[in-house]
Amino acid sequence: MDSPCITLHTEAKSGFCYSDGYDGVSDSDVEVLFRLCREAAASLEGELMKRRLKRIPDQPGDLGKCCQSLHDTSRKVIIRGRLDGRALKQVNDAVEILKTSQATLPAKVYREFLQDVIRQCSPDLALLCAASFGRKRLLDLGANGRVDLLAYVKNARHSLDSPALETLTSGYQMPASNSPQLADIRAQSRSADATVDTSDTVEQPSSTEGVRQYQGDGHTTGPLAGRVYNLSVEDIQTVATSDQIRGQIWLTNPYTRNSSPFITVPISRGLSNELATIRVRVM
């Protein structure tokens, strides 16, 4: 007999498995076995919960609170098999955001995080994230905090997932990793890659004066000095269709062969601050 396993014993029949059937077992013994097995299942479930909680590593600040919320919600789902209150509202909000086009940056960032969880882990854990902390708490983490949270979910996914959570995911119609709703970011990424073309060169001017006006130390000196953030294609689309552009838009064709052309778009301080709170700083 394979291990681990469960064997049943009665006075009339000893050492049999439930898959063997109950021939020769009296009705009263079946009732007793049922009660004992139910008590054993409850005991095992409690032990599993304790061991899962012991595996929760300490995380600082708001990140730690989000991680703890994931385990608390997972436990409630296993025991109760349902969501209610704020968790239910947050899941409905998440499903709606995943299935529809979003115009605001906060909604786009939240959608992007949930899509990452679905692709890297599972739709079950995306639902768990939505039920555990919702949109606002996720945005409050900042860009680096969201990366750390995604890493945590990936590492802890086996202790967070459960059959009960899988049942809820199906009932709330959380999109799967191959659903059409998740195809747009992949398509945009491919489009962004396709636009980078370093084979085209710009004719070198004969005057060295023209070269000098493009020389400098990048973003470390001069009027363009400042912090640099990594933006997405969706961010650029949002800027282009907003009313937050301030001043002249410039296209620069570098004289050096290895540098790609780029566009300079001055924007409002308010939009700049909003982008800076949701994107990763690179310089």
Side-chain angles (χ1 to χ4, degrees):
M1 184 176 295
D2 295 334
S3 295
C5 65
I6 296 176
T7 58
L8 306 175
H9 300 267
T10 67
E11 289 186 1
K13 191 173 184 178
S14 178
F16 66 98
C17 180
Y18 65 89
S19 59
D20 297 333
Y22 301 94
D23 292 341
V25 181
S26 67
D27 292 347
S28 59
D29 284 344
V30 169
E31 290 179 1
V32 172
L33 289 173
F34 175 72
R35 177 176 56 80
L36 292 174
C37 288
R38 185 162 56 183
E39 292 173 356
S43 174
L44 288 169
E45 186 176 65
E47 179 65 20
L48 182 60
M49 286 295 101
K50 287 193 294 184
R51 296 191 181 194
R52 284 182 173 180
L53 290 175
K54 287 180 181 179
R55 292 198 295 265
I56 302 175
D58 292 333
Q59 299 289 344
D62 291 338
L63 176 60
K65 293 178 182 178
C66 287
C67 295
Q68 184 63 57
S69 293
L70 286 169
H71 288 272
D72 291 344
T73 305
S74 175
R75 177 177 178 274
K76 291 176 183 177
V77 168
I78 291 174
I79 294 174
R80 303 166 67 184
R82 62 181 175 85
L83 297 172
D84 59 11
R86 178 179 296 180
L88 179 60
K89 183 179 182 299
Q90 290 174 168
V91 167
N92 287 330
D93 177 56
V95 172
E96 180 68 19
I97 285 177
L98 282 168
K99 291 185 176 182
T100 58
S101 177
Q102 301 301 316
T104 65
L105 282 173
K108 289 178 179 179
V109 171
Y110 186 46
R111 184 173 191 250
E112 188 177 90
F113 177 83
L114 293 175
Q115 289 173 324
D116 286 340
V117 175
I118 290 174
R119 284 193 295 269
Q120 299 290 334
C121 304
S122 69
D124 304 352
L125 293 181
L127 182 141
L128 183 65
C129 288
S132 299
F133 38 76
R135 188 193 317 191
K136 184 180 184 303
R137 288 178 64 188
L138 180 74
L139 295 173
D140 288 344
L141 287 178
N144 291 324
R146 288 189 292 274
V147 172
D148 292 339
L149 180 59
L150 177 61
Y152 179 85
V153 173
K154 291 175 65 176
N155 291 332
R157 60 184 181 272
H158 297 301
S159 64
L160 293 170
D161 210 348
S162 67
L165 186 60
E166 183 178 353
T167 300
L168 285 181
T169 301
S170 177
Y172 286 104
Q173 299 181 343
M174 181 68 71
S177 59
N178 59 352
S179 67
Q181 288 86 2
L182 303 186
D184 57 345
I185 283 184
R186 289 192 292 268
Q188 289 166 3
S189 297
R190 289 194 296 268
S191 176
D193 293 340
T195 59
V196 178
D197 184 1
T198 59
S199 62
D200 294 337
T201 59
V202 180
E203 183 179 355
Q204 183 76 23
S206 57
S207 170
T208 57
E209 182 66 25
V211 177
R212 281 197 295 271
Q213 66 178 322
Y214 289 95
Q215 292 176 340
D217 296 324
H219 292 280
T220 60
T221 62
L224 294 182
R227 294 176 289 272
V228 180
Y229 297 85
N230 189 13
L231 301 183
S232 69
V233 174
E234 277 193 333
D235 295 334
I236 304 305
Q237 292 172 340
T238 299
V239 171
T241 57
S242 72
D243 59 354
Q244 301 300 306
I245 296 177
R246 303 289 186 264
Q248 182 67 44
I249 300 174
W250 298 94
L251 168 65
T252 302
N253 281 321
Y255 294 126
T256 56
R257 293 175 60 103
N258 294 330
S259 298
S260 299
F262 59 91
I263 296 174
T264 302
V265 184
I267 61 174
S268 69
R269 181 67 65 178
L271 181 56
S272 173
N273 292 338
E274 185 176 1
L275 288 167
T277 61
I278 62 176
R279 292 305 178 201
V280 176
R281 179 180 172 182
V282 294
M283 290 177 58

